[in-house]
């Protein structure tokens, strides 16, 4: 059974950093793209970042560009999201996802597997 488990969320002050991890089990995803999305209360889920199968290509939402970095370790079947200079508007539940394709996508409907989410709260 495929499982994606996020960790690393928590409460941080504005300007601080967090590193999210998403470990996959049940099968290897080294040939698949991975993505991070987030959903704030009362809002639609939105794209944050994506990385292709090899890690050689990444994409980011404009709102996080220059502050967040997505990376992956295929040997560990894990994807990471390093979040720096966090802002209160980054507060949300963060979800990792797997797309059964070499390339990532900004559209959540393109992803096939999802984690349960981890809460990130940034205080001002």
């Amino acid at each position: 059974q495929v499982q994606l488990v996020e960790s690393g969320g928590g409460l941080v002050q504005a300007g601080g950093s967090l590193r999210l991890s998403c470990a996959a089990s049940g099968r290897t995803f080294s040939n698949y793209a991975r993505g991070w999305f987030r959903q704030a209360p009362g809002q639609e889920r939105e794209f944050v970042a994506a990385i292709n199968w090899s890690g050689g290509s990444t994409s980011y939402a404009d709102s996080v560009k220059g502050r967040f970095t997505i990376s992956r370790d295929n040997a560990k079947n894990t994807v990471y999201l390093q979040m720096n200079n966090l802002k209160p508007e980054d507060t949300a539940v963060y979800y990792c996802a797997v797309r059964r394709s070499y390339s990532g996508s900004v559209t959540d409907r393109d992803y096939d597997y999802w984690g349960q989410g981890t809460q990130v709260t940034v205080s001002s």
Side-chain angles (χ1 to χ4, degrees):
Q1 183 178 353
V2 172
Q3 254 194 325
L4 301 177
V5 179
E6 300 98 337
S7 61
L11 173 64
V12 64
Q13 288 188 332
S17 298
L18 285 173
R19 188 193 194 207
L20 304 184
S21 299
C22 175
S25 61
R27 64 166 298 168
T28 181
F29 291 122
S30 58
N31 289 332
Y32 293 159
R34 308 284 291 268
W36 286 97
F37 290 76
R38 67 187 182 186
Q39 187 168 22
Q43 297 188 21
E44 298 284 321
R45 186 163 56 188
E46 65 173 2
F47 169 75
V48 175
I51 189 167
N52 76 333
W53 71 278
S54 68
S57 177
T58 57
S59 59
Y60 297 92
D62 287 344
S63 59
V64 307
K65 206 170 290 184
R67 300 187 297 121
F68 290 11
T69 302
I70 188 171
S71 61
R72 64 188 297 161
D73 185 338
N74 284 341
K76 295 182 178 179
N77 224 9
T78 298
V79 66
Y80 305 96
L81 185 69
Q82 178 66 43
M83 305 186 294
N84 298 329
N85 191 21
L86 282 160
K87 303 176 181 180
E89 51 264 42
D90 295 319
T91 295
V93 177
Y94 283 71
Y95 299 90
C96 71
V98 173
R99 184 188 188 206
R100 288 182 295 183
S101 169
Y102 288 142
S103 300
S105 170
V106 303
T107 305
D108 59 359
R109 289 190 302 274
D110 289 339
Y111 289 80
D112 302 285
Y113 303 102
W114 291 86
Q116 83 291 347
T118 186
Q119 177 70 46
V120 171
T121 303
V122 184
S123 63
S124 56

